[in-house]
Amino acid sequence: MSQLTEEQMHFLKQYDHLLQTMSEGFEYLEENIKEEAPPQVDQIFADIVQAMQQLNQGNQQLAAILDKPAQIQPLMEDFQDIVNMMTEWFEQNTVDGRFSLLNNRVVPTFESWRHSMHQLLKPYVSH
């Protein structure tokens, strides 16, 4: 493991923290998406979309810091798959459709990806 600067360590910790926060956001959506969904559901989804944009912007920096292309490239491809799945939210016109999309596809894929990413970051963020 090469020596990272304090700024790079901070970036990796923030990235890992954002993943955890997004997981909590998805959990909220899973619990609250129903016919009488609270108005926060749309806001939480919008926040997750914004967080995905932040991750997307940070991915190149992450790849440069860690310099492990063989490990990072598949994770970046999986990330893009999650982004593509999330765009289907706007195509779903029913609560059931959105619920199914989240519970059966987006959340399980995101959680698997988050776990893999956390394992990659763990040596850098668990101090």
Side-chain angles (χ1 to χ4, degrees):
M1 174 168 41
S2 60
Q3 191 63 28
L4 300 181
T5 67
E6 193 172 316
E7 184 178 295
Q8 289 170 324
M9 293 294 287
H10 179 73
F11 170 80
L12 294 177
K13 287 178 182 173
Q14 289 299 106
Y15 190 102
D16 192 56
H17 180 73
L18 183 57
L19 296 179
Q20 179 59 39
T21 302
M22 291 173 69
S23 183
E24 292 166 7
F26 277 126
E27 190 175 308
Y28 176 87
L29 289 178
E30 284 182 303
E31 293 169 2
N32 290 284
I33 190 165
K34 48 189 175 276
E35 290 299 331
E36 300 298 318
Q40 291 87 345
V41 166
D42 287 335
Q43 182 58 53
I44 298 288
F45 185 82
D47 290 347
I48 290 173
V49 169
Q50 186 176 17
M52 293 296 277
Q53 291 168 338
Q54 289 176 331
L55 289 179
N56 191 44
Q57 292 168 354
N59 283 343
Q60 294 306 316
Q61 187 177 352
L62 177 87
I65 290 171
L66 297 183
D67 194 29
K68 297 180 178 181
Q71 288 176 283
I72 293 174
Q73 186 58 38
L75 290 169
M76 294 304 128
E77 291 168 9
D78 291 347
F79 174 80
Q80 196 56 51
D81 290 344
I82 296 166
V83 169
N84 292 339
M85 271 186 244
M86 286 185 64
T87 62
E88 293 178 34
W89 173 274
F90 302 104
E91 299 165 10
Q92 297 294 330
N93 297 323
T94 66
V95 171
D96 288 344
R98 287 181 172 184
F99 182 83
S100 177
L101 174 66
L102 277 179
N103 283 338
N104 299 326
R105 296 183 54 215
V106 174
V107 173
T109 306
F110 175 81
E111 287 300 325
S112 175
W113 176 80
R114 182 181 72 86
H115 178 75
S116 297
M117 188 58 83
H118 179 71
Q119 292 304 318
L120 182 67
L121 296 174
K122 199 173 185 176
Y124 307 96
V125 300
S126 60
H127 296 99

